[in-house]
Amino acid sequence: GGVYGYNVGVGASIDSIGDEFEFSSEQLEVISASATLSDAFTMMLCGLFLVNKIGSSRLLFIGSVLSAFGGLLLYKVSLFTSLVAARVIQGCGNGIVFLCTPMLLAEIIAAEKR
């Protein structure tokens, strides 16, 4: 839940980011959409290939690291391309976390307790 909340918080502050760095509305749309598109792409990639090869617990760790790293980059960068790259990294991490968390819970919690 925390990863989703953070991502929504960044999306809600997109107008402030535009005011602070004087980005155009098109640039703000790219910054906002880059996380969502990379999130969706990563979920498809993980769902099709990586979960069975790497495992949901390892992927969950990788996704958490990517989400945190993307958040740190967002805090430090101010160029348009850097913000887009940080949002893509964050989106990839979020996609992995969103996909792998329910899978991991299904694997470790007994069926009668779910």
Side-chain angles (χ1 to χ4, degrees):
V3 171
Y4 178 74
Y6 177 78
N7 196 34
V8 169
V10 171
S13 65
I14 204 78
D15 288 334
S16 299
I17 293 170
D19 294 341
E20 176 75 22
F21 299 110
E22 300 178 359
F23 291 138
S24 69
S25 61
E26 291 84 9
Q27 288 175 312
L28 292 176
E29 289 173 7
V30 170
I31 292 169
S32 180
S34 59
T36 305
L37 294 174
S38 60
D39 182 343
F41 177 75
T42 304
M43 279 196 270
M44 288 188 294
L45 178 68
C46 286
L48 290 173
F49 304 109
L50 297 178
V51 171
N52 291 329
K53 291 184 181 191
I54 298 174
S56 57
S57 61
R58 286 187 183 147
L59 268 178
L60 185 58
F61 176 76
I62 292 168
S64 299
V65 169
L66 285 173
S67 292
F69 183 65
L72 289 173
L73 283 177
L74 283 172
Y75 177 71
K76 287 290 189 185
V77 299
S78 60
L79 298 173
F80 170 71
T81 53
S82 301
L83 284 169
V84 171
R87 290 288 284 167
V88 167
I89 292 168
Q90 187 182 38
C92 290
N94 292 347
I96 293 170
V97 169
F98 294 159
L99 180 74
C100 291
T101 299
M103 289 180 164
L104 185 62
L105 290 174
E107 290 171 6
I108 63 174
I109 299 174
E112 55 274 354
K113 292 188 178 186
R114 281 186 257 148

